[in-house]
Amino acid sequence: MKLTVTILDTTGIQNYIFSSNRLRENIGASYLLSQATDAWVKDILNEMGVSNPKATINSSGQNAELIYAGGGNTVLLFKSPQLAIEFTKKLSLKILQKAPGINLVVAHREIEWDKDLLYKTVQDLMANDLDKKKRSRIPSSPLLGLGVTRSCNSTQLVAIDTSKSHHSPADYPISREIVAKLDAVQLANKHLEKTIFDPEKPNKWKIPLDFDDFGRSRGESSYLAIVHIDGNSMGNRFKEQGKDKSDRDYITAMRELSESVQEAGENALKQIIQDLITSWDFLKEQFDLPNRQLLPFRPLVYGGDDVTFVCDGRLGLTLAARYLQVF
């Protein structure tokens, strides 16, 4: 039985998320990236008649199967190269429309099921085809302004609209990429609150949408901490997990590891939030925080071993150490 293996990855992630100093733009960018390689993948599969993306492709009668989404990659199986290309076209179009600025890299390879080991095929695609495409990719040169135009403050691309910052009434020009990021902010916030707060319990706590809401001691301290945590050799962990296994056992092992890493990351975030809430009276008094339930903490990249969060500068080292301890 011949199948096509497809691997998705994105390039320029750091630049896409952190090219601006406006927190709302960072939040929207991070959310769009997570959608591009997970939720939108499942949406496109559903459009193609794949109602359960984790159903076994050999026996379900479906044309595709999602092996796993994690460790920075999304890996899928299709019943033919034509279906893999059709999927790629649909996902590329959605990214161009909904998340301009995200760079998608895709590699395909046809295999003989149970003869060509899926594990070896995936590793070879990642190490050679995907890596080669990343290195040889020609950066796009967007068409800049024709005639009299204004440039976006964040991307320097042509502005198509204006926006207001939370604390300034003055309009500033924004490009199509920034429009998409700002449109995604509320969805990103709902997703985060659903992840870190118990939906069964009433919640009065909020997560900041602007850097100015993190708190400061007037005349003493007004610093932010940016914390980035990345698991050592997680790629090797995924390699070892799938080694010396049959194709079906490999898929099961990859899913289990991906889901366990995702769960560990989310649980660590929940604990950080709970620690902040428990210590709120002390923090409010010590750090002169606003008299409202607005936590001085915001995760930007999360859901695995790779996490980036920002917080009040005085909490940076404490929260970094606590996150590592819990994770």
Side-chain angles (χ1 to χ4, degrees), residues 258-270 303-304 323 326-327:
S258 177
E259 288 167 5
S260 70
V261 172
Q262 177 88 9
E263 185 179 356
E266 289 180 1
N267 287 340
L269 275 183
K270 288 177 184 176
Y323 184 92
V326 176
F327 187 83

Side-chain angles (χ1 to χ4, degrees), residues 205-221:
W205 300 92
K206 299 295 181 185
I207 305 292
L209 289 173
D210 294 280
F211 287 122
D212 282 337
D213 292 331
F214 279 75
R216 57 171 66 93
S217 294
R218 191 170 299 279
E220 291 182 23
S221 175

Side-chain angles (χ1 to χ4, degrees), residues 86-155:
E86 180 191 350
F87 166 84
T88 305
K89 286 180 178 178
K90 287 178 180 290
L91 181 61
S92 299
L93 179 59
K94 186 152 191 165
I95 289 173
L96 284 169
Q97 291 173 333
K98 302 287 187 182
I102 290 180
N103 299 314
L104 186 68
V105 183
V106 186
H108 307 285
R109 184 175 298 176
E110 201 169 11
I111 63 166
E112 191 73 41
W113 182 259
D114 278 338
K115 288 186 180 177
D116 303 318
L117 276 179
L118 183 57
Y119 166 78
K120 288 187 177 178
T121 303
V122 170
Q123 294 307 316
D124 189 48
L125 274 171
M126 286 183 179
N128 296 309
D129 298 47
L130 210 61
D131 200 44
K132 184 179 178 181
K133 285 191 175 186
K134 286 182 181 180
R135 291 197 307 271
S136 61
R137 182 182 172 279
I138 299 172
S140 61
S141 299
L143 181 66
L144 299 177
L146 299 175
V148 179
T149 62
R150 293 181 72 185
S151 297
C152 169
N153 280 13
S154 299
T155 64

Side-chain angles (χ1 to χ4, degrees), residues 144-281:
L144 299 177
L146 299 175
V148 179
T149 62
R150 293 181 72 185
S151 297
C152 169
N153 280 13
S154 299
T155 64
Q156 303 308 307
L157 297 174
V158 177
I160 66 162
D161 205 345
T162 59
S163 182
K164 287 183 172 69
S165 71
H166 185 52
H167 292 281
S168 172
D171 288 345
Y172 63 91
I174 55 174
S175 65
R176 184 165 161 263
E177 179 180 319
I178 301 303
V179 169
K181 291 176 180 178
L182 292 175
D183 285 346
V185 169
Q186 294 306 322
L187 289 172
N189 223 41
K190 286 179 182 176
H191 182 266
L192 175 61
E193 289 179 353
K194 188 178 176 182
T195 300
I196 59 178
F197 295 123
D198 186 345
E200 303 297 322
K201 297 179 181 177
N203 173 51
K204 62 182 180 179
W205 300 92
K206 299 295 181 185
I207 305 292
L209 289 173
D210 294 280
F211 287 122
D212 282 337
D213 292 331
F214 279 75
R216 57 171 66 93
S217 294
R218 191 170 299 279
E220 291 182 23
S221 175
S222 182
Y223 287 97
L224 287 173
I226 304 168
V227 177
H228 180 66
I229 296 168
D230 196 355
N232 282 341
S233 304
M234 187 56 75
N236 291 336
R237 175 91 179 268
F238 272 85
K239 285 182 188 177
E240 290 300 315
Q241 187 82 350
K243 208 172 181 180
D244 303 324
K245 288 180 172 67
S246 68
D247 289 349
R248 185 49 56 189
D249 288 343
Y250 166 75
I251 291 174
T252 302
M254 290 296 95
R255 284 178 183 164
E256 287 176 351
L257 178 57
S258 177
E259 288 167 5
S260 70
V261 172
Q262 177 88 9
E263 185 179 356
E266 289 180 1
N267 287 340
L269 275 183
K270 288 177 184 176
Q271 188 59 56
I272 292 289
I273 294 294
Q274 193 53 51
D275 289 348
L276 286 170
I277 291 172
T278 303
S279 310
W280 182 248
D281 289 338

